[in-house]
Amino acid sequence: MSEFRSGYCAIVGRPNAGKSTLLNRLVGLKLAIATHKPQTTRDRILGVLTTDDAQVVLVDTPGLHKADGGINRHMVKTAEQALSSADVVLWMMEIDTDDARTPSKGQHHIYNSIIASEKPWIVALNKVDKLPDRSRILPWLKLWQETFNPPILIPLSAQDGDNVDELLAEVCKLLPVGPMLFDADTVTDRTERFLSAEIIREKAILETQDELPYSIAVTIDTFNEEERFNPDDPVVAIQATVHVERDGQKRIVVGTRGKVIKKIGSRSRRDLRHLLGCRVYLELFVRVTKKWTHVDHQLREFGYDQ
Ligand SMILES: Nc1nc2c(ncn2[C@@H]2O[C@H](COP(=O)(O)OP(=O)(O)OP(=O)(O)O)[C@@H](O)[C@H]2O)c(=O)[nH]1
Ligand SMILES: [Mg+2]
């Protein structure tokens, strides 16, 4: 029998590549929120996957982008730290057009960080399902092979699950031999409180447009589990605040006659019920917390403390 392997695999890449979607797909649970908006993930999120032969601790990270300070700085630092403490680096990029696109400056920057880290690495070319015909993948593979010469290059679809098992097998081979790092039944290091706030943030992003998503933060004010184990009617009661930076943004999140915030609430409730496994009372408040994305103490208060 082969020896048990375990370790951390950081999933890094440009914003919107599909990192969080892949984490969820591999773990088989929705741990990380994923939206069409770049820069959705703001924190490191672990997803633990235990098989008979290995335990992979997947580390979802914020997209690597040019950071101008504040929340962006926190995001990039978080991703860089995950990369430097990983055993294996999985670099995800997305196929966004039919024709192979020359890797950008941002991609070269990521390549340099990976090489500097001296870790084993794999490149995943995500979103192959977007190609009208699978043979269109060949120019992408050729271009990426010629530009970066990665030791392993795998085309896949995190959304459909195509080739995802093959990727996982390659990651496991690169992990060091070692014992489990987490209990076999652990799936994440994040609390239900954190995951609940993220679900609400996801719905707020999906229900609003343009630049607003970048200004949204969600805090959980109360998380009452008193009735959670009541066999007749288990329920968790949550009060949460959606923070925005300006009055105009508050008006958008609330919507005419509260239409938007109500929609955010009902969509959140559905996912929260799934996460918590019981009925959920959810009360949402919207508050203007001026320029929170750039104010240090506010960032810390919201948990963005890198
Ligand atoms: N067609 C297609 N879409 C995908 C695939 N994987 C992810 N997406 C979509 O791409 C968008 C971004 O996905 P995320 O998983 O949030 O990407 P991310 O890399 O985590 O993004 P950030 O957290 O912003 O860095 C979402 O709308 C996903 O549904 C895929 O395999 N195929
Ligand atoms: Mg993400």
Side-chain angles (χ1 to χ4, degrees):
M1 210 178 85
S2 60
E3 279 178 290
F4 196 84
R5 292 175 181 273
S6 65
Y8 288 80
C9 171
I11 311 172
V12 302
R14 299 279 296 154
N16 226 37
K19 301 177 292 296
S20 300
T21 305
L22 180 73
L23 175 91
N24 293 340
R25 163 70 57 182
L26 285 169
V27 178
L29 278 175
K30 186 169 162 169
L31 290 177
I33 63 170
T35 81
H36 61 292
K37 278 277 175 190
Q39 301 176 30
T40 295
T41 304
R42 291 184 180 153
D43 282 296
R44 190 195 72 136
I45 296 172
L46 300 189
V48 185
L49 189 62
T50 309
T51 67
D52 290 342
D53 316 307
Q55 185 174 65
V56 193
V57 185
L58 297 153
V59 189
D60 184 21
T61 67
L64 284 161
H65 60 283
K66 211 163 154 227
D68 55 359
I71 182 78
N72 288 306
R73 184 84 210 101
H74 159 85
M75 287 159 68
V76 170
K77 257 175 117 174
T78 301
E80 285 170 348
Q81 273 175 12
L83 195 157
S84 65
S85 56
D87 297 294
V88 177
V89 180
L90 171 58
W91 176 12
M92 262 200 120
M93 58 81 57
E94 64 175 319
I95 289 168
D96 49 4
T97 60
D98 262 14
D99 296 318
R101 188 199 288 273
T102 312
S104 63
K105 236 169 110 179
Q107 301 285 28
H108 281 274
H109 186 75
I110 296 173
Y111 169 76
N112 291 336
S113 305
I114 294 174
I115 294 302
S117 77
E118 300 182 353
K119 317 259 175 187
W121 56 296
I122 296 178
V123 172
L125 287 179
N126 190 29
K127 309 194 186 181
V128 294
D129 57 281
K130 278 183 150 180
L131 297 174
D133 149 14
R134 289 295 159 101
S135 67
R136 298 274 184 106
I137 189 67
L138 296 173
W140 280 98
L141 290 172
K142 186 164 176 280
L143 189 62
W144 274 68
Q145 197 68 57
E146 281 170 1
T147 314
F148 297 121
N149 194 22
I152 302 168
L153 179 58
I154 299 184
L156 55 84
S157 167
Q159 182 179 276
D160 297 353
D162 276 3
N163 244 4
V164 162
D165 288 342
E166 288 72 5
L167 170 77
L168 183 63
E170 294 296 341
V171 169
C172 287
K173 278 191 226 161
L174 295 173
L175 293 175
V177 170
M180 284 196 203
L181 303 166
F182 291 85
D183 289 344
D185 55 2
T186 299
V187 286
T188 185
D189 63 331
R190 291 298 185 170
T191 60
E192 287 180 338
R193 235 182 134 103
F194 173 88
L195 298 173
S196 300
E198 286 288 273
I199 285 174
I200 299 164
R201 191 164 65 85
E202 178 185 78
K203 303 312 173 200
I205 293 174
L206 294 174
E207 290 298 327
T208 55
Q209 315 272 314
D210 304 327
E211 293 307 303
L212 196 58
Y214 307 113
S215 292
I216 293 173
V218 174
T219 54
I220 302 289
D221 309 317
T222 63
F223 192 94
N224 185 336
E225 297 183 90
E226 253 168 53
E227 293 296 316
R228 187 161 188 182
F229 304 103
N230 173 349
D232 299 330
D233 186 15
V235 61
V236 172
I238 299 173
Q239 289 181 312
T241 300
V242 179
H243 301 261
V244 290
E245 295 191 278
R246 292 193 297 274
D247 294 325
Q249 296 176 330
K250 179 173 171 176
R251 280 195 290 278
I252 296 171
V253 173
V254 172
T256 317
R257 287 189 290 280
K259 221 166 138 189
V260 176
I261 192 71
K262 266 188 213 145
K263 191 83 192 288
I264 295 170
S266 59
R267 288 183 76 176
S268 300
R269 226 167 270 125
R270 213 173 310 145
D271 278 19
L272 288 169
R273 203 182 306 143
H274 190 71
L275 171 75
L276 303 173
C278 67
R279 219 151 57 78
V280 174
Y281 283 143
L282 176 65
E283 205 179 345
L284 291 177
F285 305 91
V286 185
R287 207 175 104 186
V288 177
T289 304
K290 291 232 156 49
K291 295 195 177 151
W292 70 262
T293 54
H294 285 90
V295 178
D296 278 353
H297 78 90
Q298 209 59 69
L299 286 167
R300 273 196 303 279
E301 201 173 298
F302 291 170
Y304 304 124
D305 48 8
Q306 287 286 341

